[in-house]
Amino acid sequence: MLEWIQKPRSPNCVNSAPNVLVRSSPHASSISPGPGFALTEAAPGEEAGHSRFGGRAMLEPGTPWPTCEGFPLSLLAVLDTDALAPWLGDLLPAQTGLLNFFYLDSDSEQCDPAVYELALKFDTSDPQVGRVIAARSAHAVETNPPVRSSVFTPVAWAASPGFAFPDTWDPAWRTLDLGPEADDRARAMPDLYIEELLTDWSERPGALDSEDIAFGRPEFPTGSSPVGAFPRAEDPNDYHHLLQLSGYGPYGWGLGGDDGWMHWSIPTEALQAGDFSRAIATPDIW
């Protein structure tokens, strides 16, 4: 049967998950929540370092501004990993510093009209339309964007640590043994099956509850699985989530027709090596 058990925290890792979902069987499998942060607008003194939506990029001098066929991408967010690293354990290499998240803005009121035709040439998850650039904190400076790049009013973020659990469409569910008693509906929507079996599932300790999340796991409310956004022949379970960014709301930025959530992910081995050039955008648009 499936069990929701308490797993003791490791004394050597501040972010060790307090619980884990397992199946008791000869071939037991498990899903542990991912440590992450709920990002909310910060009150004075609550800022998570330089973490924020919008504003100007924090780049090292001489770093080229990312482009798509010569058209400048727009900065959407900055994460200050120096402020977040203690909760993430050994996930990031030391002194990763600041992560700048860029995307081709073709939806906001600020976007350059010339970008519309360009955006039609690319899939929303094409590596050319999204970029993540790291900068060492001691060397990074606010960098003015080139002409035609959108600049959004900065919103400083507070970061509350917690654990992100896989949603219905997370490929992690493929790794869990649901057992012979699970029917087709359970296998199609395993998280709902789990909620019905485990009455205390909604009371998961430390679960993140936010539309804006750093690290952890992504949520895809439309059921648009991230699987199709990853390169062919690559297992999405080998990727790690970097940032989930909600559209519209307080930010004045949107994605797609009515709205959408933006995500960036990266192969876990590239993340641990500090190679953010391999990060890709995995948007969910509705």
Side-chain angles (χ1 to χ4, degrees):
M1 66 177 182
L2 291 168
E3 295 179 298
W4 175 243
I5 65 171
Q6 294 294 114
K7 185 177 72 172
R9 290 179 181 268
S10 165
N12 299 319
C13 186
V14 69
N15 71 349
S16 58
N19 38 55
V20 61
L21 181 67
V22 302
R23 173 166 184 80
S24 297
S25 75
H27 305 288
S29 57
S30 66
I31 294 180
S32 295
F37 299 85
L39 303 172
T40 55
E41 185 171 355
E46 293 182 347
E47 300 90 347
H50 295 285
S51 299
R52 53 174 162 77
F53 169 82
R56 286 170 168 73
M58 300 285 292
L59 301 174
E60 296 186 30
T63 301
W65 192 275
T67 62
C68 176
E69 289 197 355
F71 198 97
L73 304 186
S74 297
L75 178 86
L76 293 184
V78 175
L79 286 181
D80 188 339
T81 69
D82 291 340
L84 308 180
W87 181 246
L88 299 173
D90 59 357
L91 178 65
L92 295 168
Q95 300 179 335
T96 295
L98 305 170
L99 299 181
N100 296 267
F101 293 82
F102 295 88
Y103 198 69
L104 183 66
D105 176 30
S106 60
D107 294 294
S108 79
E109 294 181 356
Q110 298 188 46
C111 74
D112 189 302
V115 77
Y116 295 132
E117 187 173 344
L118 175 62
L120 292 175
K121 296 172 58 178
F122 295 92
D123 184 82
T124 55
S125 59
D126 191 289
Q128 294 191 64
V129 301
R131 214 73 52 81
V132 177
I133 298 179
R136 293 169 295 176
S137 300
H139 300 272
V141 295
E142 286 203 347
T143 304
N144 290 324
V147 175
R148 300 197 295 173
S149 178
S150 302
V151 180
F152 300 98
T153 301
V155 177
W157 276 328
S160 302
F163 296 96
F165 292 75
D167 79 345
T168 306
W169 314 104
D170 196 306
W173 290 114
R174 297 177 179 178
T175 68
L176 187 66
D177 176 15
L178 295 178
E181 66 272 19
D183 57 18
D184 291 342
R185 174 182 174 274
R187 298 184 187 284
M189 306 187 75
D191 74 321
L192 299 181
Y193 177 64
I194 298 304
E195 289 181 19
E196 293 172 359
L197 286 180
L198 306 175
T199 56
D200 60 348
W201 177 251
S202 61
E203 301 173 3
R204 293 161 293 183
L208 294 175
D209 182 17
S210 178
E211 293 186 353
D212 300 310
I213 295 176
F215 299 98
R217 291 180 180 273
E219 295 180 9
F220 288 81
T222 66
S224 176
S225 171
V227 173
F230 295 104
R232 286 186 178 182
E234 292 198 22
D235 184 350
N237 288 301
D238 293 336
Y239 279 71
H240 199 93
H241 186 240
L242 292 175
L243 177 65
Q244 173 176 300
L245 180 63
S246 61
Y248 297 106
Y251 299 136
W253 167 80
L255 180 69
D258 294 324
D259 201 353
W261 286 2
M262 194 64 216
H263 307 269
W264 286 265
S265 298
I266 187 173
T268 301
E269 50 92 9
L271 174 61
Q272 294 174 338
D275 182 8
F276 291 95
S277 68
R278 295 177 60 190
I280 61 172
T282 54
D284 189 19
I285 301 173
W286 55 87

